[in-house]
Amino acid sequence: MINKKLSFGLPLPWKDKTFSTDQIGAINFLVGPNGSGKSKFAGALKGSLGNARLLGTDRLSGMEQNNALRGMFGDHFSNGLAKSHFTHLKNAGQAGFGIDTVVLLEERMDLRIQVEATLSHLFNRKIMLEWDSGNLVARAILGDSGTSYRLDRDECHGIKELLVLLTHLYNDEHPYLIIDEPELNLHPQYQAFFMQEVRKLAGDPEADKKKKIVFLVTHSPFILDFRSVEDVKSVLSFNWDYSVPSHILGIDAAATARLSSLVPRLNVHHKQLFFSDNPIFVEGILDAQLIGTMQEARGVSVAGAGSCIIDAGGCEEVNKYLELCLAFGKSAHFVYDLDSLFGGNLRACVRADGSVQSFLITAGVGNDFGKYCGELES
């Protein structure tokens, strides 16, 4: 983890709340359901960090293949990017747009060489920037055919996304990079590739000026590239109730050690827990199918309710997720086979949980969980 104090007031939809931390990760993941305030948080975070670059979800604005509004209001970039507009384009970049990417590649040959080498390796494209009557025009040249076309207008969205993302990732002018939904338009394989590139550049910029701290607002399990327990500790979790985003950056060594055994198990399916306010954990796939079928019979959509059903692969595996969800403050649900009460670590995991004690009292069986389990076993 990187020692970095952050403290700033949260904007609407929060009210009179402050986010504070003494540590952040080299790569930080901002996760949560739609409408939980992640993008608003990213904007406030940018202001708090200082020299940070933000890439918003509208980063391809001005670089669309088709735009019906051009016929109504005019096509301002039909002839390319005017030299006299470069300052305005850079200002738009500071607001989260990616339209300044072409300008940056023109001014920074080192970036251009690096980005072009990557895109050429992946997609067999070359980048050509040319001036025409005071306008900068970006073109792509396709493979051995030599076919040339407008990069900003005629190229596919995925390649343009990587052009923008990689340019600002490789750019060493900003020690902090915030990207809202880096997965947009990217095939899962290229999401994974992008994360490989992020790892090459992520680090403490105060120790190495070539490194930068990265914040990723994401809904994609492929972007949640967990390699170690430090990656899980760098998750900021957002909720619909607009509580202060929760995290486990400061958990103690013992909890970190227990959590480390869970990291290799977090596959794409299990990572759903980070995108749901109230995930449901079960022991196996048959349990998941049973719960799903019951809810369908009741006319309830699990996905529509912002939830998900995750089969963990056994009682002891469920226990690991129980501790993780408690640490993140998630209102998760856990369904166990009855014999789980009589063996394993379930009792130890929930013995001190106030919600379990409250449930027992409501059920009229007292508040001593251990005593209740013993009587039930007898």
Side-chain angles (χ1 to χ4, degrees), residues 20 46 52 71 92 99 190 308 342 362:
S20 299
K46 179 180 182 295
I99 191 65
Y190 293 119
C308 59
F342 312 135
T362 302

Side-chain angles (χ1 to χ4, degrees), residues 6 8 19 30 40-50 52 178 215:
L6 283 177
F8 56 92
F19 177 83
L30 283 62
K40 293 286 188 180
F41 181 93
L45 174 65
K46 179 180 182 295
S48 176
L49 289 171
I178 307 168
F215 296 85

Side-chain angles (χ1 to χ4, degrees), residues 60 64-65 155-162 184-186:
L60 293 188
E64 304 93 342
Q65 287 186 351
E155 187 57 271
C156 74
H157 287 82
I159 293 179
K160 285 190 289 190
E161 286 283 1
L162 280 175
L184 290 178
N185 298 307
L186 292 185

Side-chain angles (χ1 to χ4, degrees), residues 158-362:
I159 293 179
K160 285 190 289 190
E161 286 283 1
L162 280 175
L163 175 75
V164 173
L165 295 176
L166 293 175
T167 296
H168 295 284
L169 177 65
Y170 297 154
N171 183 12
D172 56 5
E173 295 177 359
H174 304 286
Y176 306 100
L177 177 63
I178 307 168
I179 306 176
D180 200 344
E181 299 189 35
E183 65 268 18
L184 290 178
N185 298 307
L186 292 185
H187 187 282
Q189 289 178 334
Y190 293 119
Q191 294 180 41
F193 166 77
F194 176 69
M195 288 308 301
Q196 289 179 349
E197 295 301 291
V198 169
R199 290 199 173 277
K200 295 177 183 177
L201 276 298
D204 187 352
E206 294 188 4
D208 184 348
K209 292 184 178 180
K210 295 181 180 180
K211 299 292 185 179
K212 62 180 58 187
I213 295 174
V214 181
F215 296 85
L216 303 173
V217 182
T218 184
H219 295 281
S220 171
F222 297 99
I223 295 297
L224 292 185
D225 181 39
F226 296 148
R227 304 289 182 88
S228 70
V229 68
E230 301 299 307
D231 293 323
V232 180
K233 291 172 67 174
S234 300
V235 170
L236 303 182
S237 181
F238 292 71
N239 301 299
W240 270 325
D241 63 2
Y242 302 120
S243 56
V244 175
S246 58
H247 59 80
I248 56 174
L249 289 163
I251 61 173
D252 59 31
T256 298
R258 291 194 300 271
L259 182 59
S260 63
S261 65
L262 179 62
V263 175
R265 297 167 166 81
L266 288 172
N267 59 32
V268 171
H269 173 66
H270 297 140
K271 290 174 186 176
Q272 292 182 85
L273 77 95
F274 293 101
F275 304 107
S276 171
D277 268 358
N278 51 353
I280 303 168
F281 291 88
V282 298
E283 293 188 30
I285 185 62
L286 293 179
D287 298 327
Q289 292 172 344
L290 175 63
I291 297 296
T293 301
M294 291 172 61
Q295 294 297 73
E296 289 178 9
R298 296 177 61 235
V300 174
S301 169
V302 173
S307 185
C308 59
I309 304 173
I310 300 174
D311 58 284
C315 169
E316 294 306 307
E317 296 300 310
V318 178
N319 292 344
K320 297 179 187 298
Y321 292 99
L322 172 60
E323 183 173 10
L324 181 63
C325 288
L326 288 173
F328 273 107
K330 283 189 171 292
S331 179
H333 303 270
F334 300 85
V335 181
Y336 289 85
D337 294 343
L338 186 61
D339 60 359
S340 302
L341 291 174
F342 312 135
N345 297 316
L346 177 58
R347 291 196 205 184
C349 288
V350 302
R351 182 178 293 118
D353 190 320
S355 63
V356 172
Q357 295 176 349
S358 297
F359 175 77
L360 292 175
I361 293 173
T362 302

Side-chain angles (χ1 to χ4, degrees), residues 66-87:
N66 300 297
N67 189 335
L69 297 179
R70 289 175 186 157
M72 303 178 190
F73 302 106
D75 188 351
H76 302 289
F77 303 126
S78 59
N79 297 319
L81 306 181
K83 176 74 172 179
S84 58
H85 293 165
F86 276 14
T87 299

